[in-house]
Amino acid sequence: PCEDRYPQWLTDREEFIRADEPKYLQGLHICCLWEEDEKLHLEAHMNGVREDNPLEALLDTQVMDDWSSFRKALQSRMQFSKATNEWGNFHLKQPFGIFSEQGYRLGSAEEVLAAGFVLL
């Protein structure tokens, strides 16, 4: 359901030509979430890169009841961690945020589902 919203946010792998810096847009994950047939669907393009086969997963609808559980379920299904590189200063890194296309920080599973298309 988000196919027409991806192009302005995703980049082709070939665009990252430099070898002296981290590859891609590390830590920027572009996601689409929707509810269908009483299931919560997730589609994600990791690190801001357009993939032919984006990550697809189902989330348990029970995670909608609790923001912490929802965030943990996303992180688990998308398999990302707080450490995205080896630049150091790990102790200064903040917990991941979830934002709408307009840049608003979302604070509940309901807001994420209502937005449908989010940036992590």
Side-chain angles (χ1 to χ4, degrees):
C2 298
E3 200 57 41
D4 60 331
R5 296 163 86 177
Y6 284 125
Q8 69 179 353
W9 293 102
L10 297 175
T11 304
D12 293 321
R13 288 181 181 276
E14 301 80 41
E15 297 295 321
F16 297 92
I17 58 174
R18 293 186 58 163
D20 61 336
E21 60 186 30
K23 285 283 189 188
Y24 317 125
L25 299 172
Q26 290 188 5
L28 174 63
H29 311 305
I30 314 301
C31 307
C32 182
L33 292 110
W34 70 98
E35 197 166 6
E36 182 179 330
D37 299 327
E38 298 182 24
K39 295 179 182 170
L40 189 57
H41 296 258
L42 165 68
E43 180 179 83
H45 290 266
M46 305 300 286
N47 298 312
V49 174
R50 182 178 291 104
E51 299 288 356
D52 290 335
N53 297 306
L55 178 140
E56 294 180 354
L58 292 176
L59 301 177
D60 189 333
T61 54
Q62 291 176 337
V63 300
M64 293 293 293
D65 298 336
D66 176 64
W67 182 230
S68 178
S69 297
F70 180 78
R71 291 170 52 83
K72 286 178 185 171
L74 279 179
Q75 188 171 11
S76 172
R77 294 297 188 278
M78 294 171 65
Q79 299 180 358
F80 66 87
S81 67
K82 191 173 180 179
T84 56
N85 57 48
E86 296 181 23
W87 291 350
N89 298 313
F90 184 74
H91 63 287
L92 299 175
K93 196 157 186 190
Q94 299 177 8
F96 73 91
I98 304 176
F99 299 87
S100 70
E101 285 179 274
Q102 295 76 29
Y104 297 109
R105 182 182 284 269
L106 305 176
S108 71
E110 292 80 17
E111 286 181 327
V112 172
L113 193 56
F117 186 86
V118 296
L119 315 173
L120 272 72

